């Protein structure tokens, strides 16, 4: 299992090193706003992705973990509490993005491909004999582990506005970078672990132990990383607008 964790950690580091994320603090304000506006459309796909995964899972323990995570997206039972997606918009407004920008923004072709390819990857995973391992691997790495990694990078830019004088006013990005992240090795994770990634890892570790090799797990994590990387590749032209000393 150590080999699997080392492989996964290397993929996480590779994602954190994506040129757009690595230079996030230097991006011109309009480009940073566009990253967040487009990233919102990927986030809107989070709940249907979980719904699709739950339909495809046969392992009841895995379904239960996924249900708990999904229900956290809509706190409260009477509609009086903002959803996590509304919290995202609240953070965006505090960062200086106008409500009009949110209303008039539309997903780019690259963003639409990132969403469509995600659903295709989950659906494909659900059609294989080892579907539980495949679906959970995609769900955890795409929807939790890499999300925490990208929000950690985005927070480097956001913290100068949302966390000043010891007061952290973020209601979405900072909480998610904490409760989505991988904090334990796969073999050490438990369903009661403190983060979504670790809770899902508890079932993945058990399913992996039944496999002759971790090849499927590694392949699907690579594919999930490619989806995330392709989304950020669309913003590479923004780096051309940076001063040479900032690159």
């Amino acid at each position: 299992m150590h080999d699997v964790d080392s492989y996964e950690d290397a993929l996480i580091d590779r994602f954190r090193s994506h040129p757009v994320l690595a230079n996030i603090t230097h991006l011109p304000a309009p480009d940073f706003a566009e990253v967040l506006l487009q990233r919102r459309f990927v986030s809107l796909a989070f709940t249907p992705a979980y719904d699709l995964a739950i339909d495809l899972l046969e392992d009841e323990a895995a379904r239960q973990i996924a249900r708990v995570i999904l229900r956290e997206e809509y706190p409260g039972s009477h509609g009086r509490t903002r959803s996590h997606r509304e919290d995202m918009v609240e953070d965006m407004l505090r960062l200086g993005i106008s409500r009009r920008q949110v209303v008039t923004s539309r997903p780019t072709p690259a963003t639409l491909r990132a969403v469509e390819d995600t659903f295709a990857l989950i659906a494909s995973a659900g059609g294989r004999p080892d579907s539980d391992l495949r679906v959970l691997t995609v769900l955890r790495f795409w929807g939790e582990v890499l999300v925490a990694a990208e929000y950690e990078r985005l927070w480097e830019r956001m913290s100068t506005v949302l966390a000043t004088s010891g007061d952290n006013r973020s209601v979405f990005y900072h909480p998610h970078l904490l409760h989505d992240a991988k904090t334990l090795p796969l073999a050490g994770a438990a369903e009661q672990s403190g983060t979504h990634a670790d809770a899902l890892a508890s079932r993945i570790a058990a399913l992996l132990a039944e496999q002759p090799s971790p090849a499927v797990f590694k392949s699907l994590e690579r594919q999930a990383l490619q989806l995330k990387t392709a989304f950020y590749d669309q913003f590479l032209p923004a780096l051309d607008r940076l001063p040479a000393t900032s690159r």
Side-chain angles (χ1 to χ4, degrees):
M1 199 69 74
H2 173 73
D3 172 63
V4 171
D5 277 302
S6 297
Y7 180 84
E8 180 174 81
D9 291 343
L11 293 183
I12 296 169
D13 287 341
R14 187 189 307 175
F15 183 49
R16 286 194 183 110
S17 299
H18 186 283
V20 173
L21 291 174
N23 288 281
I24 203 71
T25 59
H26 303 299
L27 287 187
D31 292 308
F32 181 62
E34 184 62 15
V35 169
L36 298 187
L37 288 165
Q38 290 302 312
R39 183 60 183 75
R40 171 176 167 266
F41 291 110
V42 176
S43 186
L44 289 173
F46 177 87
T47 49
Y50 258 79
D51 280 325
L52 174 60
I54 289 169
D55 287 344
L56 300 176
L57 287 168
E58 296 184 86
D59 183 87
E60 179 55 33
R63 280 201 301 264
Q64 184 168 332
I65 295 169
R67 288 191 203 111
V68 170
I69 293 172
L70 180 59
R71 280 158 175 73
E72 287 181 9
E73 299 298 305
Y74 302 99
S77 57
H78 302 291
R80 300 190 183 97
T81 306
R82 286 192 311 240
S83 70
H84 285 189
R85 238 49 53 198
E86 293 173 271
D87 286 340
M88 170 182 276
V89 172
E90 182 67 22
D91 270 5
M92 290 168 69
L93 295 176
R94 289 174 175 173
L95 287 164
I97 296 173
S98 70
R99 186 165 294 279
R100 178 171 178 76
Q101 285 176 283
V102 174
V103 170
T104 59
S105 63
R106 298 292 183 268
T108 63
T111 298
L112 289 174
R113 278 196 304 275
V115 172
E116 291 168 359
D117 289 350
T118 297
F119 285 116
L121 184 60
I122 295 172
S124 175
R128 306 296 290 272
D130 49 357
S131 59
D132 287 328
L133 172 61
R134 289 174 178 267
V135 171
L136 285 181
T137 297
V138 176
L139 204 61
R140 172 179 169 272
F141 205 58
W142 170 85
E144 307 295 344
V145 175
L146 293 181
V147 169
E150 64 186 304
Y151 287 177
E152 183 181 14
R153 277 301 202 188
L154 295 178
W155 186 247
E156 295 173 14
R157 173 73 172 261
M158 297 174 174
S159 61
T160 60
V161 176
L162 296 180
T164 56
S165 303
D167 180 25
N168 188 336
R169 298 184 298 137
S170 173
V171 292
F172 179 81
Y173 293 104
H174 191 265
H176 276 73
L177 75 86
L178 295 178
H179 74 222
D180 290 350
K182 172 185 178 178
T183 65
L184 297 168
L186 282 166
E191 185 176 338
Q192 296 76 29
S193 298
T195 73
H196 294 166
D198 291 345
L200 291 168
S202 67
R203 290 306 300 150
I204 291 174
L207 294 168
L208 261 178
E210 301 171 1
Q211 298 294 314
S213 83
V216 166
F217 173 86
K218 291 181 176 181
S219 173
L220 286 166
E221 289 209 329
R222 281 197 308 273
Q223 293 176 67
L225 175 62
Q226 288 167 0
L227 290 175
K228 293 285 190 178
T229 299
F231 170 79
Y232 279 99
D233 282 349
Q234 69 179 303
F235 305 110
L236 287 172
L239 300 181
D240 294 334
R241 293 186 280 276
L242 298 182
T245 54
S246 299
R247 298 177 199 174

